[in-house]
Amino acid sequence: MDTPDRTSRRGSLRTTLRGLVLGAFACTAALIVLLGGTAVLSATGLLFDPHGYRTFAGILFAAILSPVALALWLLYRTMRRRSNDKRPHRIGRAPR
């Protein structure tokens, strides 16, 4: 009798965890875009950066965060594939 309740709890926990991983990926991707934009604006002279530290830091931090974002995305995709819904989630494919 405990099995249906435990299954629904496990499913909601997986859904919540999957949402947290997707949120972490979104924040990481937004941070990469902001750091890249800051580096580009600093390199072009639109932002005042006399020593070039902002350009260097933007490129360095974006390079460090890129593998993190990739790992979060791959984890999200793996969690999505292992969800209870076994149907493929592909656009343009006719349902079976």
Side-chain angles (χ1 to χ4, degrees):
M1 296 217 175
D2 265 346
T3 306
D5 189 31
R6 190 179 316 153
T7 306
S8 65
R9 239 187 261 162
R10 187 178 297 160
S12 64
L13 180 64
R14 285 181 184 169
T15 302
T16 304
L17 188 60
R18 192 171 63 220
L20 285 173
V21 169
L22 183 62
F25 166 74
C27 290
T28 306
L31 190 58
I32 290 170
V33 168
L34 288 175
L35 288 169
T38 303
V40 167
L41 290 176
S42 180
T44 58
L46 295 174
L47 285 178
F48 182 68
D49 186 17
H51 302 291
Y53 292 137
R54 189 176 295 167
T55 305
F56 180 73
I59 292 169
L60 179 69
F61 293 149
I64 291 171
L65 287 175
S66 293
V68 173
L70 180 63
L72 286 170
W73 179 250
L74 292 175
L75 177 63
Y76 170 74
R77 294 293 295 175
T78 302
M79 292 173 77
R80 187 174 171 198
R81 280 192 204 119
R82 291 186 181 190
S83 68
N84 291 336
D85 188 12
K86 300 295 183 187
R87 289 176 282 145
H89 296 281
R90 294 191 180 145
I91 297 174
R93 209 168 187 192
R96 294 182 188 184

